Amino acid sequence: MAEGDSIFRLAARLDAATAGAVIARSDVRHPRFAGADLAGEEITGWVPRGKHLLARTAGGWTVHSHLRMSGRWSVLRPGRRLPRAVAADLRIALHLVDGRTLAGIGLPVLAMLPTRDERTVVGHLGPDLLGDVFDGDAALARLRADPGRAVLAALLDQRVVAGLGNMWAQELLFLERISPWRECSAVSDPGALLRHGRALLRDAVVRNPAQNTTGRVRPRHFVYGRYRRPCLRCGTAVAFAAPERTPHGRETWWCPRCQR
């Protein structure tokens, strides 16, 4: 699943490529929005919100999408078409006046709504770690709201804080020497944990698009995906829990010694 930094970079690329472009016609392949018509609308910008993507138009419309595991957006040059195998997964096509096409492919979440109603699709999210302004106090309050909850499950809950995915959350906890199973109430400095998470994501946007947490060519990660391999800090074999054994339903890796 695309993490917050990936969506941030995607929004920046789409914004640079298409902001100011005018839509000649739209083709929305979704039962709820199949009759939507964005012809004549100017794209004013692409805005990331956690793992969500918002494309706004001058006429006050928003195209909301979430990529999850399968979705992607592509900008096709004039005269180019999607390969037949890919075209079967097309969910929305915005044909621009300049001949290009914005194609949303395999999008598991897609909605069209008035921009004034964006809160209905992203209003549940916690403070965005990649937002220009990050409300650390609000994020801290949400993290502390369920003191008995495992800290990894809390970090992955986008209602607590938006932007962290499974990889970044687990690498963050390793760097902070915190067990993924530790209760939120037992985290000594949760504010510092959130600030470190924000720093990691912001660095990934600016300097680390490969999401390399170790600074090495191999391995790129400290614990993520490294079951039974030696911890790079202490040499202990990295532990693993399958999704069905976790309260958050995600694959989990950690060092039993460094993250007691």
Side-chain angles (χ1 to χ4, degrees), residues 17-234:
T18 65
V22 176
I23 300 170
R25 61 185 179 88
S26 55
D27 177 8
V28 186
R29 302 181 183 183
H30 188 291
R32 285 183 58 196
F33 309 105
D37 183 11
L38 293 177
E41 289 283 345
E42 177 187 343
I43 299 172
T44 57
W46 294 77
V47 180
R49 183 71 173 88
K51 300 179 183 181
H52 297 251
L53 189 59
L54 306 168
R56 295 171 178 163
T57 74
W61 288 98
T62 292
V63 177
H64 164 245
S65 59
H66 193 303
L67 276 58
R68 291 188 180 169
M69 297 295 290
S70 61
R72 61 190 173 100
W73 281 92
S74 294
V75 182
L76 304 179
R77 296 193 300 271
R80 295 294 298 273
R81 293 186 178 183
L82 292 172
R84 182 174 298 179
V86 177
D89 293 324
L90 182 68
R91 294 293 174 266
I92 181 171
L94 302 177
H95 301 279
L96 307 180
V97 169
D98 62 16
R100 294 179 299 163
T101 300
L102 265 167
I105 304 159
L107 299 172
V109 176
L110 177 65
M112 295 183 62
L113 66 157
T115 301
R116 65 176 179 272
D117 295 334
E118 283 181 356
R119 186 168 182 81
T120 62
V121 290
V122 295
H124 64 288
L125 298 175
D128 191 344
L129 286 166
L130 282 171
D132 291 337
V133 177
F134 175 65
D135 191 340
D137 290 338
L140 194 57
R142 293 186 181 215
L143 190 64
R144 288 172 167 165
D146 188 354
R149 191 179 196 185
V151 63
L152 177 57
L155 291 176
L156 291 175
D157 187 342
Q158 301 299 296
R159 297 168 297 180
V160 174
V161 63
L164 284 175
N166 205 29
M167 186 279 292
W168 278 121
Q170 295 190 48
E171 292 292 282
L172 170 64
L173 290 176
F174 173 83
L175 292 168
E176 291 285 321
R177 295 178 180 267
I178 298 172
S179 166
W181 318 114
R182 187 179 301 179
E183 295 182 351
C184 289
S185 61
V187 176
S188 59
D189 192 347
L193 177 67
L194 293 174
R195 289 192 295 274
H196 192 180
R198 175 169 165 82
L200 286 174
L201 286 180
R202 290 173 70 87
D203 182 70
V205 166
V206 177
R207 298 188 300 120
N208 186 21
Q211 299 178 325
N212 184 317
T213 55
T214 65
R216 307 181 184 186
V217 176
R218 293 182 181 178
R220 294 171 51 233
H221 301 134
F222 287 106
V223 291
Y224 183 78
R226 300 194 66 243
Y227 178 42
R228 292 180 176 173
R229 296 180 182 179
C231 169
L232 300 183
R233 183 186 282 147
C234 72

